[in-house]
Amino acid sequence: MIFRRKLLIVFAFTVLVSVVAVAWSISSLTRQAFEKADEERTAALVAQFRREFNRRGDEVGHRVENIAMSEATTRIALALSRGSIDYGTYINEAKTVAENQQLDFLEFVDSQGMIVSSAQWPGKFGYKESLTVTSAIPKDAFLMREELPDATALGLFAVREVKVAEKPLFVIGGRRIDKDFLASLDLPVGMRAMFYQNLGTGFSSQLLIDNSGTATQPDRIAPIINQIQQRPRETTTLVHWTGNAIDDETVDAIPLTSIDDHLLGVLLIGSSRRPYIELRQHIRSVALLSGGAGILLSVLLSGWAAARVTQPVEELARAARDVASGNWNTQVAVTSSDEIGELAESFNRMTRELLAQKEHLVQAERVAAWRELARRLAHELKNPLFPLQLTVENLLRARQQSPEQFEEIFQESSSTLLAEIANLKAIVSRFSDFSTMPKPRLERIQPNDLVQNVARLFQAQLHSPEHPSIECKLELLESMELIAADPDLLHRALSNLVLNAMDAMPRGGTLTLRTRQNGDLSYLEVSDTGSGITPEECARLFTPYYTSKPRGTGLGLAMVQSVVSDHGGRVSVRSEPGSGTTFVIELPRNADKLPTTSPPTATVARSN
């Protein structure tokens, strides 16, 4: 991955993480603030409900107090104190008084708990009142379930005692808790109140009301009511009214109990989560917009930064490639005084020092090469010169001492002189050939044909009766593709390797010639089953003038390496002592180096 792309990814990731972190922090803080505000609003509404409840209770108590002090109540109390009365006489008395005092419930009850008159159920006179008021009269208003002719209702009641004589009269009055009661609550925006009258076991949707009447989707509230019926305590639940989170509502349920702690109703206060959801969506939209803008900005910034940072680095990389390709005079422009500028200056200083060292090294290598050439020439020429000297000395001695035998010695010495002079010429010719290696003349050839020609050339020597037989094996890849190469030079290089393999097997063995391909590279291999060579010798094999043979110039493998290098390939060796040796020639196809006039057909390597 290039540096610019890495820089872009780093910038984009940094912006994205920053935006996500800020959005998450704001969203989290907003949620906490909303929940806190929601709790405060709910607590305020609950407190308001309790105040309204107490106010309504005080109002009911005040109205019942007025009824207890009224003339009609006194008249009924006097009648009760005189003895038995006809309850039917007062059948409509409670209803009339309740209407005057705007009460929904009103009953007159004697000291025995018998109903004298009932406003909500006139026909109930003479029956026993369910509320026991003779033992303890509550001072404050309280919730109570009231049986009606056609239903059961829940109301806020107050009790007052009227004592005219020895037998007291009790006035029980109240107001119904219904939608009108809920409508009287001053609710903040986004909040609403519901009330469930717990008039039986289980959940009944008809008993759940809000300020508009029967509440919608009561089944969503049923689990809350069932939970409170099992354990009467305040609870908070998130209610999903629809599949859209914007319609969710946090519902606080407050149980309302009677004097004897029986559950009579549940006040449900709903707080809409719409403001929070809308704010959260707005935050997300802003975060997405900010993230997109940040990523776009990061692209621009990374492009600018990459241009500022990577352009000098790319110039340095190009200069380094030029130096690697051999142009040691390469210099880069120093355009800044920062770290990049220091790096460029260091690179320029390095190339100058390398160039100076190269010149010194070339001079040293030139001197060393001449010294090695002189040493090798002296070594090679010294061997034939010594016989030449002896032969001339013998001729001179014979001329002086035995003129009659001079003719015989002259013929023998002449043959020796000619042989040694031919040897000198061969040595000079080998050195001359190495110094005048021609450049490759590329044409299309088939590597398999080249290997087969070399094998045929040495077939007679491999099975010569004067030496142990050497078996030649050909392992040629059938689908070898054509390559561009000089057939004469490659033939020469491959022949040198075959000669080395034959010299490594003086007692006979197996010579294997192999071809293979891997992608755009072709491989020619020459393997022998000789004694092998050490790793130290492998490292020095291709050094000019180095040889491990008793009589050799050390130029054969150097010539092979020169030919292969001129073709853009390389030659390597694998060997272990006692396991034989394998030389591998690796050649590219070189199709792009062919001259435009090169014939498209394959050329068979010459077997010269």
Side-chain angles (χ1 to χ4, degrees):
M1 184 181 295
I2 62 175
F3 180 73
R4 291 191 180 187
R5 191 168 298 168
K6 291 181 180 179
L7 199 61
L8 171 60
I9 292 175
V10 170
F11 278 8
F13 181 75
T14 303
V15 171
L16 186 61
V17 169
S18 301
V19 171
V20 170
V22 171
W24 179 83
S25 301
I26 295 176
S27 180
S28 178
L29 292 174
T30 302
R31 178 178 55 81
Q32 295 175 5
F34 178 83
E35 291 177 351
K36 183 178 180 180
D38 188 52
E39 291 175 359
E40 292 175 352
R41 289 196 303 169
T42 302
L45 186 58
V46 171
Q48 179 188 352
F49 174 81
R50 296 192 184 278
R51 289 194 300 271
E52 184 66 18
F53 184 85
N54 294 333
R55 188 187 69 79
R56 291 295 179 91
D58 294 340
E59 181 182 342
V60 170
H62 180 68
R63 293 179 185 275
V64 173
E65 184 75 29
N66 291 338
I67 294 174
M69 297 175 61
S70 66
E71 181 181 350
T73 304
T74 303
R75 186 173 63 252
I76 296 173
L78 287 173
L80 286 174
S81 65
R82 288 195 292 266
S84 60
I85 62 172
D86 182 9
Y87 290 167
T89 305
Y90 304 101
I91 187 172
N92 293 319
E93 190 71 26
K95 185 175 182 181
T96 302
V97 175
E99 291 175 353
N100 291 335
Q101 293 294 328
Q102 297 180 349
L103 293 177
D104 298 317
F105 308 106
L106 181 62
E107 287 181 343
F108 295 104
V109 180
D110 64 13
S111 60
Q112 301 300 320
M114 302 299 293
I115 298 174
V116 177
S117 180
S118 176
Q120 61 271 20
W121 195 349
K124 199 178 178 183
F125 68 90
Y127 286 88
K128 191 79 172 178
E129 169 60 46
S130 59
L131 178 65
T132 303
V133 296
T134 56
S135 57
I137 301 175
K139 295 181 180 180
D140 300 324
F142 57 91
L143 285 174
M144 187 177 69
R145 185 182 300 146
E146 181 65 24
E147 298 292 336
L148 301 177
D150 55 351
T152 302
L154 191 66
L156 185 59
F157 289 85
V159 179
R160 295 294 182 268
E161 181 182 10
V162 180
K163 217 172 201 184
V164 177
E166 295 180 357
K167 295 180 179 180
L169 174 67
F170 298 97
V171 180
I172 305 174
R175 296 192 64 177
R176 185 192 299 265
I177 296 180
D178 54 10
K179 65 178 183 178
D180 296 330
F181 182 84
L182 296 177
S184 66
L185 298 176
D186 186 15
L187 300 177
V189 177
M191 301 190 74
R192 65 172 179 150
M194 295 176 287
F195 187 76
Y196 180 78
Q197 303 179 63
N198 191 48
L199 302 180
T201 58
F203 176 79
S204 176
S205 59
Q206 287 78 16
L207 300 178
L208 180 64
I209 60 173
D210 57 14
N211 55 4
S212 62
T214 304
T216 57
Q217 293 184 281
D219 56 307
R220 304 285 184 177
I221 303 298
I224 303 175
I225 301 302
N226 293 330
Q227 181 181 352
I228 292 182
Q229 286 176 341
Q230 295 175 4
R231 297 186 64 183
R233 63 178 184 179
E234 292 189 16
T235 182
T236 302
T237 306
L238 180 63
V239 178
H240 304 284
W241 296 105
T242 64
N244 192 351
I246 204 168
D247 296 323
D248 291 352
E249 198 173 41
T250 303
V251 176
D252 289 89
I254 304 165
L256 302 176
T257 57
S258 63
I259 298 176
D260 51 359
D261 290 332
H262 284 90
L263 182 65
L264 298 181
V266 181
L267 175 66
L268 301 158
I269 300 174
S271 177
S272 175
R273 292 176 63 86
R274 179 182 292 270
Y276 166 68
I277 299 299
E278 290 178 345
L279 181 59
R280 187 179 67 181
Q281 291 176 349
H282 181 67
I283 292 173
R284 288 180 178 176
S285 300
V286 172
L288 288 175
L289 183 62
S290 302
I295 292 175
L296 179 61
L297 182 62
S298 68
V299 171
L300 298 177
L301 274 174
S302 64
W304 175 82
R308 295 276 296 178
V309 175
T310 61
Q311 185 175 359
V313 175
E314 290 174 354
E315 292 180 359
L316 283 170
R318 283 194 297 269
R321 286 193 293 270
D322 291 342
V323 171
S325 63
N327 184 12
W328 290 29
N329 293 312
T330 302
Q331 295 282 294
V332 294
V334 180
T335 58
S336 63
S337 58
D338 54 8
E339 291 82 356
I340 300 296
E342 293 180 3
L343 180 61
E345 182 60 37
S346 299
F347 179 86
N348 293 336
R349 186 167 56 253
M350 177 194 70
T351 56
R352 289 193 295 269
E353 292 176 356
L354 284 176
L355 190 60
Q357 292 176 5
K358 177 188 176 184
E359 293 176 354
H360 292 304
L361 182 62
V362 168
Q363 293 176 2
E365 287 181 349
R366 187 179 294 116
V367 171
W370 280 111
R371 286 177 178 174
E372 180 64 21
L373 178 60
R375 186 190 67 81
R376 179 61 62 180
L377 281 172
H379 176 75
E380 293 292 331
L381 295 177
K382 183 167 57 176
N383 291 331
L385 285 177
F386 184 69
L388 285 175
Q389 180 183 358
L390 289 178
T391 302
V392 172
E393 289 177 352
N394 287 334
L395 282 173
L396 293 174
R397 193 180 304 111
R399 175 81 175 175
Q400 296 173 357
Q401 296 179 359
S402 181
E404 62 278 2
Q405 297 180 355
F406 177 76
E407 186 66 27
E408 180 182 352
I409 295 174
F410 178 77
Q411 294 296 331
E412 181 181 351
S413 298
S414 298
S415 300
T416 302
L417 288 173
L418 290 175
E420 293 302 329
I421 289 172
N423 188 19
L424 283 173
K425 289 177 65 178
I427 293 172
V428 172
S429 176
R430 285 197 296 270
F431 279 91
S432 177
D433 289 344
F434 180 73
S435 64
T436 58
M437 286 291 296
K439 291 294 180 182
R441 299 175 61 183
L442 302 183
E443 55 184 86
R444 297 183 191 275
I445 68 169
Q446 172 56 252
N448 288 344
D449 294 343
L450 174 67
V451 172
Q452 289 172 347
N453 287 334
V454 172
R456 281 195 294 268
L457 177 65
F458 289 94
Q459 194 67 31
Q461 299 181 44
L462 293 174
H463 300 286
S464 173
E466 299 176 359
H467 304 284
S469 178
I470 297 176
E471 180 185 0
C472 182
K473 293 174 59 178
L474 298 181
E475 298 179 0
L476 308 180
L477 181 67
E478 294 183 0
S479 58
M480 283 290 289
E481 298 183 5
L482 301 180
I483 64 173
D486 187 318
D488 292 333
L489 291 179
L490 281 186
H491 187 278
R492 230 170 125 184
L494 203 58
S495 298
N496 265 293
L497 294 180
V498 171
L499 286 172
N500 279 347
M502 294 170 60
D503 291 341
M505 296 182 289
R507 297 182 179 84
T510 301
L511 170 68
T512 304
L513 303 181
R514 187 180 299 109
T515 61
R516 59 186 176 90
Q517 274 187 330
N518 184 10
D520 290 335
L521 297 176
S522 299
Y523 297 89
L524 310 179
E525 297 184 5
V526 178
S527 299
D528 62 59
T529 56
S531 58
I533 54 179
T534 64
E536 292 78 11
E537 290 176 319
C538 288
R540 300 179 60 190
L541 275 182
F542 299 102
T543 303
Y545 316 119
Y546 172 78
T547 180
S548 58
K549 302 176 184 178
R551 295 181 61 83
T553 61
L555 298 177
L557 292 179
M559 183 271 293
V560 171
Q561 185 180 49
S562 175
V563 170
V564 175
S565 298
D566 288 343
H567 282 78
R570 68 187 188 94
V571 61
S572 58
V573 61
R574 301 192 305 266
S575 181
E576 290 183 8
S579 300
T581 303
T582 298
F583 287 89
V584 181
I585 296 177
E586 176 186 305
L587 296 171
R589 290 188 183 178
N590 288 330
D592 56 331
K593 297 181 180 179
L594 280 172
T596 55
T597 58
S598 177
T601 57
T603 301
V604 178
R606 303 169 183 82
S607 57
N608 51 358

